[in-house]
């Protein structure tokens, strides 16, 4: 059974190569708007939930944060350090990147299609869309850090 969430999309594909993030942001801001998965502080704390449910909870929190444009929460609680570090390396503050990449999305949605967990790592195949952007099927990677699941890679589009 698929889970329908709110927010994520093209931004994930663009973020796949973090070193290209600045170029992509400057060239394709409107197309990037849909995605960037926000994973909240609360999301990874499973309280007896299976790891798969914890990952789904993280993705649902991400969707809520994107819909509410809560970029600070996205950057500080939901994204793994490797992603925010890559933005910092190119001189782009995470919150600004999120605002530019996600701010144009209208009625974004995230639908979880599949989740696999192996130890402290997980992958999630999701479908993202927004009313002003085409849908996209993307594979995300997550890592469990400090008892919380965080997005560590906004991977390439899935086929």
């Amino acid at each position: 059974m698929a889970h329908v969430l709110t927010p994520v999309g093209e931004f994930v594909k663009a973020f796949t190569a973090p070193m290209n993030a600045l170029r992509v942001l400057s060239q394709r801001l409107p197309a990037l708007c849909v995605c960037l998965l926000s994973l909240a502080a609360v999301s990874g704390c499973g309280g007896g939930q299976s790891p798969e449910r914890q990952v789904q909870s993280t993705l649902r929190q991400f969707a809520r944060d994107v819909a509410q444009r809560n970029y600070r929460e996205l950057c500080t609680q939901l994204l793994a350090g490797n992603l925010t570090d890559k933005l910092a390396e190119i001189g782009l503050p995470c919150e600004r990147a999120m605002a530019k990449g996600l701010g144009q999305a209208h009625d974004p949605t995230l639908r979880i299609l599949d989740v696999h967990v192996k130890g402290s790592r997980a992958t999630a195949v999701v479908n993202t869309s927004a009313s002003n952007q085409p849908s996209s099927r993307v594979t995300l990677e997550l890592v469990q850090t400090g008892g919380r699941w965080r997005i560590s890679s906004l991977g390439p589009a899935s086929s």
Side-chain angles (χ1 to χ4, degrees):
M1 174 183 243
H3 296 78
V4 176
L5 310 178
T6 11
V8 186
E10 281 289 316
F11 192 70
V12 170
K13 290 192 292 187
F15 214 85
T16 303
M19 298 314 288
N20 292 327
L22 186 58
R23 177 186 56 80
V24 171
L25 284 172
S26 66
Q27 294 175 353
R28 298 187 59 213
L29 288 180
L32 300 177
C33 299
V34 181
C35 204
L36 207 275
L37 305 169
S38 47
L39 311 171
V42 187
S43 66
C45 307
Q49 292 182 343
S50 70
E52 290 79 6
R53 291 224 184 249
Q54 291 175 25
V55 168
Q56 291 170 354
S57 178
T58 293
L59 295 173
R60 284 191 294 275
Q61 184 62 48
F62 167 78
R64 283 190 294 271
D65 284 348
V66 171
Q68 296 170 1
R69 301 191 187 325
N70 189 354
Y71 307 125
R72 183 176 194 166
E73 187 80 4
L74 289 174
C75 292
T76 62
Q77 302 298 321
L78 301 176
L79 298 180
N82 67 308
L83 291 181
T84 57
D85 290 348
K86 292 289 185 189
L87 287 171
E89 286 175 14
I90 61 172
L92 188 60
C94 183
E95 288 181 49
R96 187 182 320 157
M98 299 306 100
K100 286 183 179 183
L102 301 172
Q104 302 287 327
H106 299 285
D107 304 316
T109 61
L110 172 82
R111 186 173 187 202
I112 301 170
L113 303 175
D114 195 21
V115 172
H116 290 283
V117 176
K118 187 172 184 177
S120 64
R121 300 202 167 273
T123 58
V125 177
V126 300
N127 189 59
T128 63
S129 64
S131 62
N132 61 331
Q133 297 176 353
S135 65
S136 179
R137 188 174 185 168
V138 179
T139 300
L140 306 171
E141 294 179 8
L142 296 91
V143 63
Q144 193 174 32
T145 306
R148 297 179 179 152
W149 288 97
R150 294 177 180 252
I151 296 173
S152 61
S153 175
L154 304 172
S158 303
S159 39

